[in-house]
Amino acid sequence: QVQVVESGGGLVQAGDSLRLSCAASGRTFSSFDMGWFRQAPGKEREFVAAIDWSGEKSYYADSVKGRFTISRDYAKNTAYLQMNSLKPEDTAVYYCAAGPWATTGGKYNYWGQGTQVTVSS
């Protein structure tokens, strides 16, 4: 069983930065693709960013490209989402997910409980 726990959310002003962390338990971290998703009130959950198991390939939603950066630290079993130039429309609950080959057709099998990010104008 893999547990995924997000942290780092908060209330910030437009233009500020935040870094979300996603700590994953277990030895399988290095073999899992990691992803970030978000869900705003009244909206569907949407993809934000993902990074493959090797750390060599990353993917971004158009809405965050150039502002957000996903990364991973194998020594800490942790994935990160660096969010810069935040906008009010980035306000949402952010979820981290992990799964084998998730970025190439597999599934995100493990999900965190989410962390709230609120951006005020």
Side-chain angles (χ1 to χ4, degrees):
Q1 184 72 9
V2 175
Q3 288 189 322
V4 175
V5 180
E6 306 96 336
S7 62
L11 171 63
V12 296
Q13 293 187 330
D16 285 351
S17 298
L18 268 180
R19 188 177 78 160
L20 305 183
S21 299
C22 173
S25 65
R27 299 180 180 179
T28 51
F29 174 80
S30 61
S31 63
F32 278 4
D33 294 355
M34 303 294 294
W36 285 96
F37 295 78
R38 66 186 182 187
Q39 187 167 20
K43 294 188 176 181
E44 298 278 321
R45 185 174 63 193
E46 65 175 0
F47 168 78
V48 176
I51 188 166
D52 75 342
W53 64 272
S54 72
E56 293 182 0
K57 295 181 180 179
S58 57
Y59 308 86
Y60 297 93
D62 288 343
S63 59
V64 306
K65 207 170 289 184
R67 299 189 297 123
F68 290 11
T69 302
I70 190 171
S71 61
R72 62 192 301 165
D73 184 331
Y74 296 93
K76 296 182 178 180
N77 275 14
T78 300
Y80 301 97
L81 184 68
Q82 177 66 44
M83 305 186 295
N84 298 329
S85 302
L86 282 162
K87 304 175 181 179
E89 51 263 43
D90 294 318
T91 295
V93 177
Y94 282 71
Y95 297 92
C96 179
W101 311 109
T103 61
T104 53
K107 281 185 60 177
Y108 287 100
N109 296 317
Y110 307 99
W111 292 80
Q113 81 289 349
T115 185
Q116 177 70 46
V117 172
T118 303
V119 184
S120 64
S121 57

